Amino acid sequence: MKLSPATFRALAKGDKAADRVVPPTGFTARLTLFVAAAMAFLAVFALALSLAAGRLAASWGDELARASTVRISAPEGQMAAQTAAALRLLEQTTGVASARALSEAEQQALLEPWFGPDLPVASLPVPQLIEVIETEQGYDPAGLRLRLQAEVPGAVLDDHARWRKPLVAAAARLNLLGWVSALLIAATVGAMVTLAANAALAANAQVIAVLRLVGATDIYIARAFVRRFTLRALTGAAAGTALGIVAVLLMPAGSETAGFLTGLGFRDWHWLIPLLVPPLAAAVAFIATAVAARRVLGGLS
Amino acid sequence: MIELENVAYSYGGGELLSDLSLQLGAGSFHFLTGPSGAGKTTLLKLCYGALRPTSGQVRLFGSDVTHMDRDAIALSRRRVGVVHQDCQFLDHLPVAENVALPLAVAGQAVPGQDENLRELLAWVGLTGRAMALPPELSGGERQRAALARAVIMSPEVVLADEPTGNVDWEMSQRLLTLLVELNRMGKTILIATHDLQLIRAAKAQVQARVLRISNRRLQTAGADL
Ligand SMILES: Nc1ncnc2c1ncn2[C@@H]1O[C@H](COP(=O)(O)OP(=O)(O)OP(=O)(O)O)[C@@H](O)[C@H]1O
Ligand SMILES: [Mg+2]
C-alpha cells in the first residue's frame, strides 16, 4: 500500500463491497473518533500557543531590545548640566541612533500607573530619563557605561536587553515546545491508530483467513482496514479542530501588548495552519494502519 | 495444472508425507482417500499453496510455489476453487454474498452476476437460504454453500475436502453430479473423501483415478474399489 494519488482516490471513492467484508465495530470506532478529536483539539491549542509565543519573541526581540534608558540622578542644581552632558556623549557614541530626554509630561505618564495622576513630578527628586534608540548594529554597553561613569557621575545605563533577553529566550523556548507538543500529538495519534488497527486485525483474523482463501490480495484486505481508520481519524480530527478553533476564537480579545494570554490565537495566514490538522491526522492514520496491516498480513501463511 | 514432485511435508515433528509425486493434468478427475489423520487435508493445502513443502517441489500452473510471493499465491487461488473441510465464511454477511465473495475480492463483481448467482444457489439447493447468515446454516448447507463459492469463479481446478461429509446420499449424489459436470467442461477435479460408495458412484460416470495415502506415501488404489 503506497501513498500514491491513485490510492487516495480509491480511498475517497470507497468500495462498498470491500467495506462490508470487515464486520462493523461500534465501540473501537467511537474510541478512535474520540481520541482523534481530542488530539486535534489539543493540537490546535499547541499550535496557537506556539505561534503566539513566536510572535511575542519576535516583537520583544526586535522593538524593545533596540531601546534602552539612561537614568540620571543628580542634586537639583546639577540635573540640567548632567543631562546635557549625557546627551552630548550619547550623540557621539557609535551605535546610538538617537537620544532624547523625556519631558516632564512623559515622565509623569510613566509614573502615573503607580502614583496616580496628581503626582507633582517637578517637585520630587525623580531621576531624569533619557531614551536611547540603537541603530541596527547596536552599541557596546560596557564601553558606554565606562564613559558615562567618567563624565556623568549620576548616570546609570539601563540596558533593557539585560532583563529582556531571558524573556525573549523563554518565549522562543515556548514556541519550540509548542511545536514539539504538536509533533508528540501526531505521534500519539499514530500510536493510537496502530494499537486500534492491530486490535481490529487480530479480532478479524477469521475474516482475513477467509478472504485469503478466496483469493484476496494483501492490498485488498489492508484497504478495507486502512480506509476505515483513515476516515475515522479524518472525521474525529475535523470535529476536534473545529471545536479547537471555536475555543480559540472565544478567547477574550486584547492587543498583543496587553499580554501574552490575550494574544493567544492565529493571525492572518496562520489560520491555515490548524486547517492542516485533519488531513495530517488522516495521513498519520493511513500510514499507521497500512504499516500495521502489512506487518500482520505478512506474518500469515 | 498442479504438479508435486518428491514432496515431503512435516508440521514440525516427523514427516507426515514423504517422497510424494502427483500430477493433476487438465481435465483429470481424482479421488484422494486414506485413514483419518493420514494427511489428505495437508496434501490439498500443498496443492493450493496454503502450505509450502518441506522438501521437493510444488508447481501451480507452472510456477514453483517456493518462489511465489503472497500476492502470487492469492492470484492463483482465483484459478483454484477450494471446498474446505471446515467451511469458513464471513459470518456477518448472508450466504449469497459469501458465495459471491471470490468475485468481489477479484474485483469482478458485475451487475449481471445476480442471475448466475441465483442459478448456482438453486443448483446446490440453497435458494431459500440465500439471505441466511452462515452460522444459521446446517452442516450440509454449509458444505453446499462452500461448493457454490468454490466454483463461482469458474476455476480451472476444483479441490474438495470431504464435500459430502455432512449431506445425505441424495444430496451427495447431486454434488457429485455437479463436480462431474464441471469435469466434463474441462475442469480438473480432486476430491478427498472417505466415502467409498461415492467413489464407486463416480466411477460409473467418469474416468476417475483413486489415490490413497498410506504409510506417508501416495499409492494408486487398485480396481478393487
Ligand atoms: N497445523 C497443524 N499443526 C500440527 N499438526 C497438524 C496440523 N494440521 C494437521 N496436523 C496433523 O497432521 C496429520 C494429518 O492431518 P490432516 O488434516 O491432513 O489429516 P486428514 O487426512 O485430512 O484427516 P481427516 O480425514 O480426519 O480429515 C494429523 O495427525 C494432524 O493432527
Ligand atoms: Mg481432512
Side-chain angles (χ1 to χ4, degrees), chain B residues 7 22 37 43 60 64 76 90 92 114 123 127 149 154 211:
Chain B
V7 165
L22 169 67
L43 180 56
L60 293 187
D64 187 343
S76 77
L90 297 185
H92 62 289
D114 285 3
W123 230 107
T127 308
R149 185 178 66 183
S154 140
L211 308 166

Side-chain angles (χ1 to χ4, degrees), chain A residues 20 212 216 218 297 300, chain B residues 70 77-78 89 92 97 105:
Chain A
R20 281 170 54 76
R212 213 156 143 71
D218 285 352
L297 293 174
L300 300 178
Chain B
R70 289 172 51 75
R77 299 246 168 104
R78 297 177 187 178
F89 297 96
H92 62 289
E97 271 187 71
V105 155

Side-chain angles (χ1 to χ4, degrees), chain A residues 20-23 206-207 210-218 220 297 300-301, chain B residues 50 70-71 74 77-78 84 88-93 97 101-102 104-105 149:
Chain A
R20 281 170 54 76
V21 300
V22 182
Q206 203 221 328
V207 168
V210 170
L211 289 174
R212 213 156 143 71
L213 286 175
V214 300
T217 56
D218 285 352
Y220 181 91
L297 293 174
L300 300 178
S301 63
Chain B
R70 289 172 51 75
D71 280 350
R77 299 246 168 104
R78 297 177 187 178
H84 302 94
Q88 290 186 354
F89 297 96
L90 297 185
D91 289 344
H92 62 289
L93 294 182
E97 271 187 71
L101 193 60
V105 155
R149 185 178 66 183

